[in-house]
Amino acid sequence: MTESKIAKRVEFYVNATGTTVFSVELDPDIVYFPNDEIELPTVGIFRMVQRRWHVDSESRVLILQLEELH
């Protein structure tokens, strides 16, 4: 069996600023649920409000839409 060359990653997208603030390789052992609190070192603490997939022939990207917690 050959290794897939399709890139798989997670992008952390902040709705208020419209920007991706962090991106990591997708770890299949980590599950993200709406309302999860996510702490990104040097970036801040967020609440995940929605998740969606962007899929094309070269990549699979899980986009986590975040709301900043104050």
Side-chain angles (χ1 to χ4, degrees):
M1 181 180 249
T2 60
E3 176 94 15
S4 173
K5 295 193 185 304
I6 295 175
K8 299 173 182 104
R9 67 183 191 278
V10 179
E11 290 186 354
F12 298 86
Y13 178 88
V14 179
N15 285 335
T17 60
T19 59
T20 298
V21 293
F22 202 72
S23 182
V24 294
E25 186 175 322
L26 179 65
D27 182 341
D29 294 330
I30 298 176
V31 179
Y32 299 96
F33 292 100
N35 295 316
D36 278 355
E37 286 189 13
I38 299 171
E39 183 174 354
L40 301 173
T42 71
V43 179
I45 300 174
F46 303 88
R47 181 175 69 87
M48 200 251 297
V49 293
Q50 185 177 4
R51 63 183 176 188
R52 62 185 173 89
W53 285 95
H54 173 79
V55 179
D56 63 29
S57 62
E58 298 177 1
S59 66
R60 307 289 184 264
V61 180
L62 175 59
I63 300 169
L64 302 180
Q65 293 180 267
L66 307 174
E67 176 180 90
E68 191 167 10
L69 296 178
H70 298 278

